[in-house]
Amino acid sequence: MCFTYVFICSGYLPPEYIEKNVLSNKLDIFSLGVVMLNIITGPRGRSRSAEMSSQEFTDLVLGNWTIRLQATWNGSSLEAYRQQVKTCTEIALKCVEIDRHKRPNILDIVNKINETETMTGKVINIVTGMFFFKKINLVLSSS
């Protein structure tokens, strides 16, 4: 039972812990990166990220998400969501760096995510406002 638990969870543990039992606050950052990659790319995303450069992987993920997002969004809102996916992918990849000293701290991660949320919110408010304004014009012009 214990072996199965360790086996299942070992994908979330950083190499320094698996190899040398080194505990640090960067252990949680590594685990966060694995969770983010699983959400963004699916369960095989992390292993695929190891097969190519960070830029190639980010471009691949962004391409896949663009296809999904185009079904729902267009214009500036599509670009805002694409940027959000790109930023989250880049953060996740930094979190799973082999060298724990290269991993970001949680404050940097939160700030970066907040920046993308702010940008996305502004774009959606602009797009929603434009849609609302067009609706008012249509109602006024048909009166």
Side-chain angles (χ1 to χ4, degrees):
M1 178 79 167
C2 209
F3 174 75
T4 304
Y5 178 76
V6 171
F7 177 74
I8 291 170
C9 294
S10 67
Y12 295 88
L13 296 174
E16 69 271 10
Y17 181 78
I18 293 171
E19 295 167 8
K20 301 174 187 169
N21 279 346
V22 174
L23 285 174
S24 74
N25 61 348
K26 298 297 182 159
L27 185 144
D28 289 339
I29 298 297
F30 185 90
S31 299
L32 174 63
V34 173
V35 170
M36 289 176 71
L37 283 174
N38 284 344
I39 291 169
I40 297 166
T41 65
R44 290 184 286 180
R46 183 159 170 256
S47 61
R48 294 205 57 207
S49 72
E51 299 168 0
M52 57 189 82
S53 73
S54 293
Q55 186 60 54
E56 289 173 318
F57 182 74
T58 302
D59 290 344
L60 177 67
V61 170
L62 194 54
N64 291 338
W65 271 94
T66 298
I67 293 166
R68 290 179 182 173
L69 291 169
Q70 284 173 333
T72 309
W73 302 98
N74 59 33
S76 55
S77 57
L78 170 64
E79 191 51 43
Y81 283 119
R82 287 182 79 249
Q83 184 60 45
Q84 196 173 44
V85 168
K86 181 180 182 212
T87 299
C88 288
T89 304
E90 291 169 347
I91 291 169
L93 290 173
K94 288 177 185 174
C95 289
V96 295
E97 279 280 345
I98 299 299
D99 180 353
R100 74 177 186 269
H101 301 291
K102 291 182 180 179
R103 295 179 203 141
N105 64 50
I106 194 65
L107 188 58
D108 293 336
I109 294 167
V110 169
N111 287 338
K112 196 70 173 168
I113 290 172
N114 281 339
E115 285 173 23
T116 63
E117 282 294 316
T118 301
M119 179 189 70
T120 304
K122 285 179 183 175
V123 169
I124 289 173
N125 285 339
I126 290 168
V127 170
T128 304
M130 289 168 47
F131 177 75
F132 182 71
F133 184 71
K134 285 180 183 177
K135 279 262 218 209
I136 290 175
N137 280 342
L138 285 173
V139 170
L140 291 176
S141 63
S142 62
S143 300

